[in-house]
Amino acid sequence: MSSYVIPPVNLTGRGCVKSIGREAAKFQARRALVVASFGAVGEAQAALVASILKDSGVETVLFCRVMPNPTVAVVDEGLALYRSSGCDLLVAVGGGSAMDAAKGIGLLASNGGRIADYEGEDKAGKALPPFIAIATTAGTGSEVTQFAVISDEEHNKLTLVDRYLAPNVSVNDPEMMASMPPALTAATGMDALTHAVEAYVSRNAGPVTDAQAWKAIQLVAKNLPLAVRDGTDMNARENMCCASFLAGAAFNNAGLGLVHAMSHPLGGHCNLPHGLCNALLLPVVCRFNTTLETLGRFSDIAVALGVGRSWRAERDNAEVGLEALFSLNRSLGLPKGLRELGVRKEDLPLLAERTMEEAIGRPNPRKYDKRDVLRLYEEAY
Ligand SMILES: [Fe+2]
């Protein structure tokens, strides 16, 4: 048996953010807490959301306080505001951090207690308040997933997996992403590609997630270079929205793998963007994961990337697919390796140790040990 979890309503396409007022009205909401990132960009995004909700008669209270890697402290602060303002709807607008903070606020608003009580799988007994999640980057997929990562006071990342964390409505509007600079577009787009590739080769993959992951890979390969070159190319942006949504839905159910297990400690320890870490690790981990059992899967991926051919031997396809992943990074102008990101070589053994503790790597198609992981960090260096 397999279960399949995504939000019940998922909006994609140009201008779809304007429909959130109608969605809020369906919950009979009167006052929404709008959760956004700290700073001018987050404030502008929250103000736009507030004006749309106002037109539908929904009052708003803005909470633009979320920094990257949201903490239990910001969740508690947001929760206090949610309660004291009498809110009955949560709206997150932003990347993964704003979504994760909103998930934490909603979880405690309904269930009480502390975030640490819910670490692990399916610990919540009650559904969150109505929750609309609006993505402003095409990559994290957090607007469709049942995962949240919140850091505690000791900077430990608490991972929460609960079907109640999946928002009621996800929104992927390319017009919300038009102002993303090229480097952010590239990094978040490579995060989406990594979600799709890891879901496609996951031990937990199935026909439903395969269909989503494969199409997401094809959409990223065709559209990410265009969106990076010209951020006003709304057709490319719209296709990246679909790719991000599909990849999020796929990994929400099939899980991830070794790329994410390595990129989490790397990003946390060296304070590096998640998507960039994934981009540099993806090709070397895919090479490691290519075995007799997975050749067919990597051959399919090569076809989705536009370089594999159905008449060609699987081994040859898998090889050109790997080359395409390396050259995609180069064509997007991403750094060549971890050294360029300022990672210290002497930190790699510690990162390899932490990778082994990451449960997110469990669905990886090939087993690995600490030596394998260290070698892969060195290859990506
Ligand atoms: Fe990711």
Side-chain angles (χ1 to χ4, degrees), residues 20-376:
I20 59 167
R22 206 177 55 208
E23 296 297 331
K26 288 188 177 150
F27 298 118
Q28 278 110 39
R30 283 171 298 120
R31 189 170 299 143
L33 184 75
V34 181
V35 181
S37 60
F38 180 78
V41 173
E43 281 169 20
Q45 289 165 343
L48 174 70
V49 166
S51 74
I52 296 169
L53 289 173
K54 190 176 169 211
D55 289 344
S56 295
V58 180
E59 291 174 35
T60 50
V61 178
L62 306 191
F63 181 63
C64 307
R65 301 274 302 149
V66 185
M67 308 282 273
N69 302 318
T71 58
V72 290
V74 85
V75 169
D76 288 342
E77 201 184 328
L79 176 67
L81 187 59
Y82 182 89
R83 283 184 171 150
S84 65
S85 310
C87 294
D88 53 5
L89 172 70
L90 267 170
V91 180
V93 57
S97 299
M99 310 266 179
D100 281 358
K103 287 175 180 180
I105 293 167
L107 184 65
L108 299 188
S110 299
N111 289 271
R114 303 170 313 131
I115 288 295
D117 302 336
Y118 302 97
E119 191 183 13
E121 272 184 54
D122 289 325
K123 300 276 175 68
K126 291 183 195 155
L128 272 62
F131 177 20
I132 299 173
I134 305 161
T136 58
T137 63
T140 73
S142 187
E143 71 284 359
V144 294
T145 70
Q146 54 187 330
F147 307 116
V149 182
I150 314 274
S151 300
D152 67 13
E153 291 86 353
E154 284 83 42
H155 304 288
N156 298 311
K157 291 197 168 192
L158 309 176
T159 301
L160 285 59
V161 186
D162 202 301
R163 65 181 56 190
Y164 290 134
L165 293 178
N168 301 95
V169 181
S170 80
V171 180
N172 264 291
D173 184 337
E175 289 175 1
M176 296 296 287
M177 302 167 188
S179 59
M180 256 201 296
L184 185 62
T185 302
T188 52
M190 287 306 290
D191 189 22
L193 180 63
T194 306
H195 296 155
V197 169
E198 295 216 278
Y200 196 77
V201 300
S202 159
R203 286 177 190 278
N204 300 332
V208 178
T209 57
D210 282 355
Q212 294 170 318
W214 194 90
K215 189 65 192 176
I217 296 167
Q218 189 189 46
L219 286 169
V220 173
K222 282 188 177 165
N223 294 283
L224 182 56
L226 300 176
V228 169
R229 198 176 311 143
D230 176 8
T232 65
D233 182 339
M234 292 313 285
N235 190 44
R237 290 268 192 215
E238 185 156 6
N239 284 326
M240 282 305 300
C241 278
C242 291
S244 175
F245 164 65
L246 287 168
F251 91 79
N252 197 31
N253 295 282
L256 292 166
L258 181 53
V259 181
H260 274 76
M262 290 175 69
S263 82
H264 279 180
L266 175 65
H269 184 76
C270 306
N271 199 22
L272 294 168
H274 173 68
L276 199 50
C277 295
N278 282 339
L280 299 192
L281 294 167
L282 180 66
V284 296
V285 173
C286 284
R287 191 159 56 196
F288 171 79
N289 278 342
T290 304
T291 61
L292 271 182
E293 286 105 82
T294 59
L295 262 189
R297 294 257 129 191
F298 281 103
S299 174
D300 291 348
I301 287 172
V303 175
L305 288 169
V307 295
R309 299 291 174 260
S310 56
W311 44 264
R312 203 184 271 152
E314 286 181 342
R315 184 177 298 277
D316 295 338
N317 269 341
E319 210 159 287
V320 293
L322 287 176
E323 281 166 28
L325 291 177
F326 282 104
S327 69
L328 181 57
N329 278 350
R330 283 193 298 272
S331 73
L332 296 175
L334 296 175
K336 289 190 190 68
L338 303 180
R339 186 210 311 259
E340 265 184 59
L341 297 180
V343 178
R344 297 185 315 172
K345 204 156 194 186
E346 55 268 35
D347 287 348
L348 298 184
L350 172 72
L351 298 179
E353 221 158 89
R354 292 197 181 160
T355 294
M356 298 308 296
E357 294 161 13
E358 287 279 340
I360 207 165
R362 280 186 203 141
N364 196 65
R366 182 175 172 185
K367 285 202 161 47
Y368 52 85
D369 59 24
K370 204 163 73 180
R371 266 188 323 191
D372 295 324
V373 174
L374 181 57
R375 189 167 48 77
L376 290 168

